[in-house]
Amino acid sequence: NSIFFFALTALLSTNIKAAWDDLNMTKGVTAISKEIFDLHMLIYWICVVIGLIVFSIMFYSMYAYTKKKNPNPSTFHEDTKLELAWTVVPFLILVFMAIPASNTLTKIYDDIEGDINIQVVGYQWKWQYKYLEDNINFFSNLATDWDEINNKTPKGEFYLQEVDEAVVIPVGKKVRFLITANDVIHSWWMPDFAIKQDAIPGFINSAWTVVDKPGIFRGKCTELCGKNHGFMPVVVKVVPQEEYDAWVQDKREEAFKMAELTEKN
């Protein structure tokens, strides 16, 4: 029985944690995304404690001061000390919350030039990426098969999260994204980097990241931008520096060959 109890407890705790992770904010893989997550959890628990205190007092008052228990209403006037307390204490709590929030926001909006600067342009319904230092320019389109979308074949693991060409960045380098749009408002969202910036025609928003481990990370457009809004995912591939340098060289050669063909035509 004890083994069954512990197994059931472990199973329930695992399921509860999985459900919590699905509902909660993404922790991400960068230092700034983890700092944002920790700030989110700090303020969340402060709000939980405040809620418990307020509702405990409220429910206790509703129970203890009913007309049945107190047939004769009390006669009293304001309590200056109490009114000062419930004004000053929330103010101090807000100041306590504002200090770490301001420090984190200062880091988020650290808009100095990155080691790599990429212009991101939203189109209906795809993304264009321009590597400003390396003169690399390409479009990234949805690669999910339309038979999957039309329910003719089973949906794959990365349904509506696949592209024909991913953004490639190196490990450990500061990458700044300069985000705008060509037609309507889009929004470039990469939850693992804690980046979500609107892409607005005629205006440039910026964001940055430093990713310390290789991997493939997925996001999407999060601004309703037309009938194919759900079909413009974001995929970022983080690779070691050597692999990134080789990729840049391949893209340069590809662009050179394309320029030659254009000149011949």
Side-chain angles (χ1 to χ4, degrees):
N1 289 336
S2 60
I3 295 174
F4 173 77
F5 173 76
F6 285 118
L8 181 62
T9 303
L11 179 63
L12 287 174
S13 62
T14 301
N15 290 337
I16 290 170
K17 184 180 184 304
W20 174 256
D21 289 342
D22 287 340
L23 292 172
N24 200 10
M25 183 178 179
T26 301
K27 191 169 187 178
V29 296
T30 66
I32 191 67
S33 70
K34 292 172 183 175
E35 184 173 330
I36 292 170
F37 179 83
D38 291 341
L39 175 65
H40 157 73
M41 292 308 301
L42 170 65
I43 294 177
Y44 170 80
W45 287 117
I46 289 174
C47 292
V48 167
V49 171
I50 292 172
L52 288 174
I53 292 172
V54 170
F55 280 100
S56 296
I57 294 172
M58 185 177 72
F59 288 131
Y60 172 76
S61 300
M62 291 167 64
Y63 168 77
Y65 299 103
T66 61
K67 185 176 180 180
K68 183 178 180 181
K69 294 181 179 180
N70 298 272
N72 298 317
S74 299
T75 56
F76 58 86
H77 293 280
E78 69 278 353
D79 187 323
T80 305
K81 292 181 180 178
L82 183 61
E83 290 183 4
L84 282 172
W86 69 41
T87 302
V88 172
V89 171
F91 172 77
L92 293 176
I93 292 172
L94 288 173
V95 170
F96 173 77
M97 293 164 65
I99 292 172
S102 299
N103 290 333
T104 302
L105 281 171
T106 301
K107 295 176 184 177
I108 292 172
Y109 290 102
D110 176 20
D111 194 30
I112 61 174
E113 187 174 0
D115 300 310
I116 298 168
N117 298 278
I118 303 173
Q119 184 179 19
V120 182
V121 185
Y123 285 78
Q124 291 179 310
W125 289 269
K126 56 192 172 185
W127 297 101
Q128 183 184 26
Y129 298 98
K130 301 178 183 179
Y131 288 65
L132 302 182
E133 289 81 15
D134 296 309
N135 199 27
I136 294 172
N137 184 358
F138 61 88
F139 283 92
S140 182
N141 299 277
L142 176 72
T144 299
D145 193 289
W146 278 94
D147 284 344
E148 290 182 41
I149 296 171
N150 294 324
N151 296 316
K152 294 180 180 179
T153 59
K155 297 184 182 350
E157 180 183 0
F158 298 112
Y159 175 68
L160 296 184
Q161 298 179 20
E162 309 158 289
V163 295
D164 56 358
E165 191 158 7
V167 182
V168 180
I169 62 174
V171 169
K173 291 293 183 71
K174 181 175 181 177
V175 181
R176 183 172 65 159
F177 299 99
L178 304 169
I179 302 167
T180 186
N182 182 67
D183 36 44
V184 299
I185 297 176
H186 302 273
S187 187
W188 200 81
W189 180 52
M190 180 52 62
D192 285 307
F193 302 167
I195 293 176
K196 183 180 179 295
Q197 283 285 15
D198 284 345
I200 304 171
F203 189 83
I204 294 178
N205 281 318
S206 64
W208 66 272
T209 191
V210 177
V211 188
D212 293 323
K213 67 174 186 178
I216 296 176
F217 305 97
R218 302 177 189 274
K220 60 186 70 176
C221 175
T222 52
E223 184 73 32
L224 186 59
C225 57
K227 70 181 185 67
N228 286 348
H229 159 67
F231 299 152
M232 49 186 302
V234 176
V235 179
V236 178
K237 185 178 181 182
V238 183
V239 299
Q241 184 66 49
E242 299 78 16
E243 186 175 339
Y244 174 76
D245 292 338
W247 177 82
V248 168
Q249 186 60 34
D250 289 343
K251 296 298 288 183
R252 284 175 175 169
E253 292 176 0
E254 181 183 312
F256 180 74
K257 290 177 182 177
M258 183 63 67
E260 279 190 330
L261 286 173
T262 303
E263 287 177 3
K264 288 178 181 178
N265 292 333

